[in-house]
Amino acid sequence: MRFVERDQVVVVGLPVVGTFDQLGALVPAAWERVLSRRHELPRPEGGYAELSTYLGDGTYHEVVGVPLPRPPQRPGRWVVAVAPAGLHAHHRYEGPVRGIGEGFGALHEWVRAQGRTPGDLKLDVGYAADGAEGPHDLHVDLLP
């Protein structure tokens, strides 16, 4: 785990809004829709991504799709979400997809142990269209 200066990342895909308990059903359904229409999106170089923002009151806004360095000129029917550039905590997660939540939990703990405060934005890049397991790059923004 380490702190990194990261450029802006844009995720172009489909939105999901729900409580943590609802995300277990909503996010896989969104992935199914994104992957069934992946021919409409640029091919991701490092895997597909989830960008999650905590909205408060137990509610999250997620966008699942393709990470890009900048917004497309014409996103069509896709939503565009932006993870701003700046200092972030990064963890290269090597375990199974079902454990990514624990990977983020460990990253949050590490950030606090370094005397910093994690923010409400999480970026996870590394999903494969065929569902194959592989490494994921987990990022958490930091509060000032």
Side-chain angles (χ1 to χ4, degrees):
M1 294 181 199
R2 62 193 175 112
F3 293 118
V4 297
E5 280 289 336
R6 196 194 69 222
D7 291 333
Q8 167 184 283
V9 175
V10 174
V11 177
V12 178
L14 294 176
V16 174
V17 177
T19 64
F20 186 76
D21 292 339
Q22 295 169 327
L23 294 178
L26 296 173
V27 170
W31 273 119
E32 190 174 310
R33 291 190 316 273
V34 165
L35 295 175
S36 72
R37 296 174 46 200
R38 68 182 176 269
H39 63 280
E40 299 174 24
L41 293 165
R43 183 182 175 139
E45 292 180 25
Y48 289 87
E50 285 186 25
L51 179 58
S52 175
T53 305
Y54 180 65
L55 301 175
D57 294 329
T59 303
Y60 295 83
H61 178 271
E62 299 205 11
V63 175
V64 299
V66 175
L68 301 171
R70 61 192 158 282
Q73 289 184 355
R74 295 186 183 134
R77 297 180 295 163
W78 300 100
V79 168
V80 176
V82 178
L87 185 66
H88 291 78
H90 172 259
H91 173 45
R92 179 77 169 183
Y93 175 77
E94 301 279 349
V97 169
R98 70 180 180 277
I100 287 175
E102 294 169 7
F104 272 117
L107 184 56
H108 275 239
E109 287 179 25
W110 180 83
V111 167
R112 287 185 190 97
Q114 306 309 307
R116 300 295 304 261
T117 303
D120 293 330
L121 187 136
K122 294 182 210 137
L123 175 66
D124 172 4
V125 180
Y127 293 94
D130 64 2
E133 298 280 344
H136 285 244
D137 286 304
L138 308 181
H139 296 266
V140 173
D141 68 332
L142 302 170
L143 296 180

